[in-house]
Amino acid sequence: MTILGLIREAAGGLTAADVAARTGQHMSTTRVHLERLVDAGLLVKARASGGLPGRPAWRYRATATDPVPAPYRALAAALLDHVTGEGPDVRATAGRVGRDWGRQLATASPPTGDPIEAVTTVLDGLGFAPSVQPATESGQIPVHLHTCPFLDLVGKNPDAMCALHAGVIRGILEKHGAPTDGATLEPFGAPAACVVRLPPPDAMARVEDHLDG
């Protein structure tokens, strides 16, 4: 099977080490082939999370072919036209744009008193196929994003696009008066999904009670 075929069959994508192990190729040869597929627009890459210290490895996924909402794609493409490079400045700019867009998306969505439901409703409408997972020991609510219909744009600038999506989530929470501290988006945080981590529901409830008072 080809490298592209292997990665298309892997729901959570593969690292270069995974591909090298499955094909028997030397690691350097594997990396060259992977980067050529990225340059051709057939794969995208993002930093994989292995829960280990240090900079994680790249994980490669096949680009999505499903259509995505035109307004959001236009916004994302426009952002990439104005933001280049990587690093904290790029992430901060993309995050601010994402917050503004998230507030607008939350306003346009059906009203709900549950911030978690509001986040998943918007993300589902954008094509991320979210699913809420059991709360962690710290009380955080993980939401798995099983698809990313913007993978081709992510491949052009992972820092900007992932920060944009994280900003959208924080904007939705802000619109519902919920705290954004601790709201994060981890690319490839699960074997077959990116992971959104939302603040504990009791923290959101405390903010709502304060606002009501």
Side-chain angles (χ1 to χ4, degrees):
M1 183 179 293
T2 64
I3 289 177
L4 182 59
L6 283 172
I7 294 176
R8 280 177 172 165
E9 287 193 351
L14 298 172
T15 64
D18 294 332
V19 175
R22 298 188 187 192
T23 61
Q25 291 180 334
H26 192 276
M27 180 67 81
S28 60
T29 302
T30 298
R31 287 197 180 102
V32 169
H33 286 310
L34 288 170
E35 291 304 316
R36 285 176 178 169
L37 291 170
V38 170
D39 291 341
L42 297 173
L43 296 180
V44 294
K45 63 181 183 179
R47 291 289 181 186
S49 173
L52 299 174
R55 193 165 178 81
W58 289 109
R59 183 174 289 272
Y60 297 82
R61 278 182 175 175
T63 52
T65 57
D66 296 336
V68 299
Y72 191 79
R73 172 168 287 278
L75 170 76
L79 175 69
L80 292 186
D81 287 340
H82 292 87
V83 177
T84 58
E86 57 183 19
D89 290 343
V90 168
R91 291 191 292 270
T93 299
R96 286 194 296 271
V97 174
R99 280 179 185 254
D100 290 342
W101 189 245
R103 287 191 288 269
Q104 295 181 43
L105 291 172
T107 300
S109 297
T112 174
D114 182 355
I116 296 173
E117 182 181 350
V119 169
T120 56
T121 296
V122 171
L123 292 179
D124 188 48
L126 292 175
F128 284 95
S131 64
V132 179
Q133 306 298 309
T136 64
E137 291 184 1
S138 65
Q140 282 189 321
I141 304 299
V143 178
H144 285 190
L145 307 182
H146 297 283
T147 62
C148 179
F150 308 99
L151 271 178
D152 57 323
L153 297 179
V154 172
K156 294 180 181 178
N157 193 326
D159 272 8
M161 285 304 299
C162 291
L164 179 72
H165 295 154
V168 166
I169 293 162
R170 295 185 183 111
I172 299 167
L173 293 174
E174 287 177 354
K175 184 64 179 178
H176 285 78
T180 60
D181 291 344
T184 61
L185 170 61
E186 184 180 358
F188 301 106
C194 296
V195 179
V196 175
R197 292 186 172 84
L198 300 177
D202 61 338
M204 297 190 193
R206 286 196 298 272
V207 171
E208 290 175 354
D209 291 343
H210 176 72
L211 293 175
D212 291 340

